[in-house]
Amino acid sequence: MIRAGFAVADITPSLPCHKLGWLRVVTAERVADPLFAKAAVFEADGERAGFVVLDTLSVRWTQVAEIRRRTEAAHGIPADRLMVSATHSHAGPAVASSGDVRRDEAYLEEMTRRVVEAVGDAVRKLEPVEIWYGRACERRIAHNRRVVQRDGTVKTHGDLDAPDAMFVEGPIDQEVAVMGVRSAAGKPLGCLVNYALHPTFHGDDDAISANWPGVL
């Protein structure tokens, strides 16, 4: 029997705060939509594994290690069985140092605390489930923005109609993969989705946003 539980925690930063992803300092003064840490925990034959996804630009290896350490101590999920990732939103707080922006240590501490709580909530919600899987291709949205020129150089945001343009640098991943989870009674509980597309909306303005992954 497989059991699973899902939970979320609000990790929207206090304002104003610096944003990450544009090398220069950009200050957020408003929230376009909230940021979340989303947790999923699975259990089979007494063994547990979990996933955490953050609505942030990135998550440093040292931060992953700390989240794993605290989660193992508090909720018994082995550190090597907790995957921690970020959606790469360019409209989130300074979770790392990049260019002129320095990471916000106070925010990172609060975020870590809320992440561990979210995993704990998911553990408490564990129940027998059914798992289904599906995939499709989305060809209309993503594109490769790097264009190879006749002299061998590559231009980011290149124009294929330009005289010196030859072809885009490479392919894109068109697959949308979904692993869905429902209760034994058929109630949808949550899902894991994988789709590759760069989330850059709101990046250089004054808004905090989870970007398109938050809408998805």
Side-chain angles (χ1 to χ4, degrees):
M1 180 180 68
I2 298 177
R3 300 202 304 158
F6 291 81
V8 298
D10 192 324
I11 57 169
T12 309
S14 299
L15 300 179
C17 71
H18 288 164
K19 298 170 67 174
L20 183 66
W22 293 84
L23 300 179
R24 59 184 174 83
V25 173
V26 178
T27 301
E29 301 283 356
R30 60 188 177 93
V31 175
D33 53 276
L35 309 185
F36 291 102
K38 301 165 187 175
V41 175
F42 296 85
E43 180 184 81
D45 299 324
E47 303 289 340
R48 290 176 179 171
F51 298 84
V52 171
V53 180
L54 309 173
D55 288 331
T56 59
L57 182 85
S58 61
V59 55
R60 295 177 299 148
W61 171 246
T62 52
Q63 203 68 41
V64 171
E66 180 63 12
I67 290 171
R68 287 174 168 174
R69 184 190 68 80
R70 296 191 195 183
T71 300
E72 183 171 22
H75 308 300
I77 299 177
D80 61 354
R81 295 183 186 177
L82 182 67
M83 177 181 283
V84 183
S85 61
T87 61
H88 194 67
S89 171
H90 274 256
V95 293
S97 296
S98 178
D100 296 330
V101 182
R102 300 298 92 188
R103 65 176 177 263
D104 187 336
E105 298 289 358
Y107 173 78
L108 286 169
E109 174 58 31
E110 180 64 15
M111 182 195 75
T112 300
R113 182 185 67 80
R114 294 182 184 181
V115 167
V116 175
E117 288 180 353
V119 176
D121 287 344
V123 169
R124 286 186 286 274
K125 293 178 180 177
L126 285 170
E127 63 177 287
V129 298
E130 297 175 344
I131 294 177
W132 49 268
Y133 176 82
R135 61 181 296 274
C137 286
E138 170 52 68
R139 300 180 176 89
R140 298 165 297 175
I141 303 175
H143 67 278
N144 191 319
R145 65 183 181 177
R146 291 168 59 82
V147 178
V148 178
Q149 307 297 298
R150 295 187 184 279
D151 62 2
T153 61
V154 178
K155 283 188 176 181
T156 300
H157 300 298
D159 181 0
L160 278 175
D161 292 329
D164 291 330
M166 291 198 299
F167 51 84
V168 294
E169 187 180 40
I172 61 172
D173 182 357
Q174 299 177 338
E175 184 183 57
V176 183
V178 180
M179 187 181 82
V181 180
R182 60 192 174 204
S183 70
K187 177 184 177 182
L189 300 178
C191 60
L192 276 68
V193 179
N194 186 68
Y195 179 61
L197 180 66
H198 202 173
T200 58
F201 301 114
H202 287 298
D204 60 350
D205 65 18
D206 65 346
I208 288 292
S209 173
N211 248 290
W212 69 263
V215 178
L216 174 65

